[in-house]
Amino acid sequence: MTDRQLITLRVNGEPYELVIEPRRTLADTLRQDLGLTGTHLGCEHGICGACTVLVDGAPARACLMFAVQAEDRDIRTVESLADGDELSDLQRAFSAHHALQCGFCTPGFLMLAEGFLAERPEATREEIRELVSSNLCRCTGYQPIVDAVEDCARRRQASRREHDRAACGEAERSGHAAGA
Amino acid sequence: MSAHTTESRHAPAGRYVGASVPRREDPRLLTGRGRFVDDIRIPGLLHAQFVRSRVASGVVTSIDLSAVLDVPGVVAAYTAADLDVIGITAVLDRPRTQFVPTEMPILARDRVRFAGEPLAIVIAEDPYAAEDGVEAAAVTYQVHTPVTSAEQALEPGAPLVHDEAADNVLLDVSMFATEGIDEVFAEAPCVVRVRTRTGRQNAVPLETRGAVADWDDRDAQLVVRTCTQVPHQVRTVMARSLRLDERAVRVITPDMGGGFGQKCVVGREEIAVAAAALRLRRPVKWIEDRKDALTASFLAREQRYDARAAFDRDGRILALDADIVCDMGAYSCYPFTAAVEPLMASAEMPGVYRVPAYRVRGRAVTTNKAPSAPYRGVSRPQYVMVMERLFERAARELKVDAVELRRRNLITEFPYSGVNNITYDAGSYLDSLNLCEQVLKDEGWYDLKAAAAAGGRHVGIGYSCFNERTGYGSGAFAQRKMSVVPGFDMTEARMDTTGSVTITTGTLSHGQSHETTLAQIAADELKLDISKIKIVQGDTDRVIYGWGTFASRSVVVGGSAVRLAAVKLAEKLRMLAAGLLDTTPDDVELDDGRVRRRDDPGRGLGYAELADIAYLKAHLVPKDLEPGLSVTATFDVFTDGTFGNATHGAVVELHKGTGRVEILRYVCVEDCGVAINPMVVEGQCRGGIAQGIAGALFEQVTYDEQGEPSATGFLDYKVPTASEIPDVAIHHLETPSALTESGAKGVGEGGTIGAPAAVLNAVNDALAPTGVELNDTPITPETVQRALEQAS
């Protein structure tokens, strides 16, 4: 029980060296050893999803993973989303849609959506609803969370299209230039 | 989203009240910078867990903690005998024939009354070691036959949960009994009867309970950070329990991950943790795990009704007669007591209807299950369901449309003095029903239902009409004969030298957005930018006194106290400015952060200038004024409060094969008077409806014959997800409250109150062709499937 291991974790781009018991969960390690208390624990048996973090970009329950399993993986927590006081588009969407009340489940939903939208940027509302059903929220009735994730997805899509159009226009212009 | 708003007498004059101001709570909660109890770390912090009873009823014959102390990392382990603290006894000032007081010890002494009851506290250097320690405890029991249902509890010769409650009844009241009611029933052309059972639920705040306690030598004070909705009440009980002066206890509530009532009572664990910290003179933290939260915290809602209603030939209700039994589990909660559910139901059951004759018997029964606490709505989800079933039954008997039958019986003249001695202030009962029905018709759900029926599908539409008393003040709680009478709230408003304002509130926001909404109220009164106002809550040393947040009281009582304090601070600013501007207070006015002369608006002083004088140049303060800019105000309610109301409409489809109840559409027409922040109001409605649906269709804690609870995790206790909870369309009506300073009524509980009835009625509407009627909740897929099979 008291055997400890030296591990290296990479969390939000920062490397950490830790000496921990192998039975220590990733969630406890993040919260207690690294002081990253934004990751919350609502059930510790993998249902509520409040502890959801990104492991190599994919949402994972930090309560169901031992910290030692997270070695050499890229861990991202809610603390990585904002840029200083500047909220990310996803965080802003949550606030705009009143997708949080007590805020306890919120970091889990944010990381869930962050990982999902990176993988499925064109997700439909039904797919987003199914995603949101991965985690539990007791305050909002979920609709505002679905709204927020959908809104964020649509804005990112619009901004990508805008970017593509601009890039396309740029290419055309440079094409003309080359042709001329 | 479409909205429908009636003309308002209290048309929002200010810039903030009535606007969906973005929540000031959000940035820290979105970035992981909120501070919840488990986020608090203090040097030298120890971690506690509890050894809990494995049997539901019995006597502890031995408890051996020696192996616990051998576990590496364990620092101490205490039993009840070691801690020697005073238990919690919640009392009503009623004769023993009506109410039996019982004690909830902090740790069980010898008798155990439910599986999960705490027996000992284990304290260790590390949370893992604390759990290892708990597992090493050796406890032996003399096992008694447990009482696991209200029926069993009431049987003659049943085992006793508390020796002092000779028939397992903690409360037994018969009320109203309108003269001649039996004759009314005997002679009425239509009498309908509904018998209902509702499942035992857990409020399930996603943050479990928890506390960090630490003795501070410098302040000679025990500092307890605990997630509670009622910090001042925790302080009172803790001081008494630990035999400390009340000033020697400071209770702080940090960010809190929901409560819904479960945290509006004083928990025994938070006191045990404080006692341990006091003994060890080291900080001790306890975080409840989910299993304990599901099995050993406070539950609610397990009730049974046997109700009759008499109607005349025109469908007018003549009388209501109800027998209500609430299974309150093993202990009475402080300060509300085990009477909270039966008294709420008995007092308020007639609800939105003109009931001329009423008789009710309400009982609280004690059983060997985890105790009950108020849970969002408190009995109203249940009695509204019963009332709405009675109306549906009567409509069927009388062959009248059920919505029309309601229309004939809704209260339409206000104020209305009910048969239950309650005076209802103005509401939009009829308008909300009419609008709700219209919306569902316009959206085509009645057509869809007809088409579905023709196609062999089972689609049903159901309604519920209800009101929600908010602003229970000292008057209402005194009527319940509580010996500890909640109700008032105190606020201090203080302006500093920079013109910023700090406002304290005795309410305790844990998701309800008070940091935003109370600031909106104050900002309008002070004509000040909201960014200059900070709401402070949840600290018994900073907040003078208050009763916390429960019973939809915060905006009504707390919000009114905030507004009064802001008005007083504004007056003080006017008096100060008048003296300095050579005029009278009546001849100056507040405008955008300054006080100016009415006759010469160019002459004025900014708040920072006034505050500078009030504090730093007190010699300039007019002689009849005290220096400084600090005021206090209190607000209480001695009338029957103010009633919000709503109509909910649900459209469901029952799926043959799985028995699934799918909610196709949910419409809520709510009226909470002036909505301080419409976005927040809608959030309260949606969240409440989700919890009401959870009770109607999914959640239940059951116990086996040994009194072992069935649900120890979220696989067994089925909290619904986004796949089960539908989108909700919300429509607003506005009947301002004359009681409150802002015209607002509370809105925290309504969603939860209305949803079970609407869903149950819709399910029964869908089942109508089968002849099966369901009246118990949760409505499980099994019962639906059986009903559908029976029909085919």
Side-chain angles (χ1 to χ4, degrees), chain B residues 79-202:
Chain B
T79 63
D82 298 325
L83 289 187
D84 184 30
V85 289
I86 297 168
I88 303 170
T89 307
V91 178
L92 296 184
D93 292 328
R94 289 176 181 267
R96 274 189 90 87
T97 50
Q98 291 186 6
F99 178 79
V100 180
T102 50
E103 186 210 23
M104 178 165 72
I106 302 305
L107 295 173
R109 295 194 190 92
D110 47 2
R111 183 87 173 262
V112 288
R113 297 188 173 86
F114 70 94
E117 176 153 19
L119 296 172
I121 181 169
V122 175
I123 299 110
E125 297 283 354
D126 171 88
Y128 287 62
E131 295 201 24
D132 292 343
V134 166
E135 287 185 11
V139 186
T140 60
Y141 309 86
Q142 183 186 69
V143 180
H144 296 172
T145 305
V147 179
T148 58
S149 71
E151 288 73 15
Q152 185 196 350
L154 292 172
E155 277 169 17
L160 295 185
V161 179
H162 293 270
D163 294 339
E164 55 270 45
D167 49 4
N168 288 323
V169 175
L170 299 182
L171 176 94
D172 189 348
V173 291
S174 293
M175 293 161 77
F176 310 113
T178 313
E179 208 178 318
I181 190 168
D182 285 317
E183 290 71 31
V184 175
F185 273 103
E187 289 162 17
C190 171
V191 174
V192 289
R193 181 178 185 186
V194 168
R195 278 179 285 192
T196 297
R197 282 162 193 286
T198 57
R200 197 171 194 77
Q201 271 188 272
N202 190 311

Side-chain angles (χ1 to χ4, degrees), chain B residues 205-216:
Chain B
L206 210 54
E207 180 204 33
T208 57
R209 298 179 302 154
V212 181
D214 186 21
W215 176 261
D216 186 309

Side-chain angles (χ1 to χ4, degrees), chain B residues 394-730:
Chain B
R396 206 177 291 183
E397 295 270 319
L398 293 162
K399 299 186 172 43
V400 180
D401 175 70
V403 172
E404 172 56 26
L405 189 71
R406 289 182 177 86
R407 269 198 274 272
R408 291 178 195 174
N409 287 285
L410 286 170
I411 299 166
T412 50
E413 305 284 323
F414 300 97
Y416 177 83
S417 294
V419 66
N420 49 347
N421 298 335
I422 290 173
T423 300
Y424 298 86
D425 64 344
S428 55
Y429 303 168
L430 187 58
D431 286 348
S432 68
L433 175 61
N434 288 340
L435 178 58
C436 192
E437 185 190 38
Q438 197 58 51
V439 168
L440 287 179
K441 281 186 172 160
D442 291 349
E443 290 182 356
W445 294 103
Y446 280 83
D447 299 337
L448 182 136
K449 181 189 148 182
R457 288 164 61 196
H458 300 274
V459 173
I461 297 174
Y463 293 92
S464 69
C465 300
F466 65 92
N467 57 17
E468 170 190 7
R469 184 183 341 188
T470 70
Y472 288 86
S474 303
F477 284 115
Q479 266 179 13
R480 282 191 193 171
K481 302 191 168 58
M482 289 176 71
S483 76
V484 172
V485 185
F488 69 95
D489 231 78
M490 290 180 83
T491 279
E492 183 196 8
R494 191 190 301 173
M495 183 175 280
D496 65 23
T497 61
T498 62
S500 279
V501 178
T502 301
I503 292 179
T504 68
T505 174
T507 64
L508 200 292
S509 181
H510 46 288
Q512 294 88 342
S513 322
H514 300 167
E515 288 172 51
T516 307
T517 54
L518 297 183
Q520 287 178 251
I521 292 171
D524 278 354
E525 284 308 324
L526 289 167
K527 306 280 186 278
L528 185 59
D529 192 278
I530 198 166
S531 68
K532 301 284 276 182
I533 295 173
K534 174 66 185 163
I535 301 291
V536 168
Q537 62 163 17
D539 184 338
T540 56
D541 269 16
R542 291 179 78 183
V543 176
I544 308 169
Y545 202 85
W547 285 91
T549 285
F550 55 85
S552 306
R553 67 184 298 276
S554 298
V555 148
V556 179
V557 183
S560 292
V562 164
R563 184 163 180 265
L564 286 177
V567 167
K568 277 183 157 181
L569 183 59
E571 272 170 19
K572 179 136 196 200
L573 286 167
R574 289 209 332 266
M575 288 196 287
L576 179 60
L580 297 166
L581 294 170
D582 308 317
T583 182
T584 65
D586 286 343
D587 293 320
V588 296
E589 62 187 5
L590 274 55
D591 177 64
D592 195 18
R594 51 199 287 281
V595 185
R596 64 186 187 190
R597 282 181 68 128
R598 285 182 201 277
D599 61 354
D600 185 4
R603 279 190 70 192
L605 290 160
Y607 290 173
E609 290 174 275
L610 289 167
D612 189 71
I613 290 167
Y615 290 101
L616 306 182
K617 299 177 178 61
H619 61 288
L620 299 179
V621 172
K623 286 196 176 44
D624 50 344
L625 284 181
E626 288 179 5
L629 285 169
S630 170
V631 299
T632 61
T634 63
F635 188 84
D636 199 350
V637 183
F638 296 102
T639 63
D640 290 338
T642 183
F643 289 76
N645 69 273
T647 298
H648 290 191
V651 184
V652 305
E653 177 162 13
L654 312 181
H655 292 281
K656 204 168 169 180
T658 60
R660 177 179 169 220
V661 177
E662 183 185 4
I663 300 174
L664 303 175
R665 184 64 171 155
Y666 203 103
V667 174
C668 163
V669 180
E670 71 77 34
D671 185 341
C672 65
V674 173
I676 306 292
N677 184 321
M679 174 185 80
V680 169
V681 166
E682 294 200 355
Q684 290 297 307
C685 292
R686 286 203 173 86
I689 287 166
Q691 291 188 11
I693 291 171
L697 296 177
F698 302 104
E699 295 177 4
Q700 177 167 222
V701 178
T702 57
Y703 289 76
D704 68 13
E705 283 173 9
Q706 278 74 48
E708 190 72 28
S710 60
T712 58
F714 283 145
L715 284 175
D716 310 306
Y717 192 80
K718 296 179 170 47
V719 176
T721 72
S723 291
E724 289 81 40
I725 301 299
D727 287 353
V728 173
I730 298 173

Side-chain angles (χ1 to χ4, degrees), chain A residues 23-25 28 31-32 40 42 45 91 95 98 100-102 105 110 125 129 133 136 138-139 142-143, chain B residues 23 26 30 38-39 41 128 132 203-204 206 290 683 686-687 691 699 714 720 722-723 725 727-728:
Chain A
R23 66 172 174 171
R24 202 161 182 81
T25 65
D28 285 341
R31 291 179 50 76
Q32 293 172 24
H40 296 155
H45 54 269
Q91 290 168 316
S95 187
H98 194 22
L100 66 158
Q101 289 182 27
C102 80
C105 70
L110 286 169
R125 185 174 177 87
R129 179 175 288 282
S133 73
L136 296 180
R138 195 59 165 173
C139 295
Y142 300 108
Q143 180 182 349
Chain B
R23 294 209 324 159
D26 284 354
L30 285 163
D38 195 22
D39 302 341
R41 293 199 296 177
Y128 287 62
D132 292 343
V204 193
L206 210 54
R290 182 54 64 185
R686 286 203 173 86
Q691 291 188 11
E699 295 177 4
F714 283 145
S723 291
I725 301 299
D727 287 353
V728 173

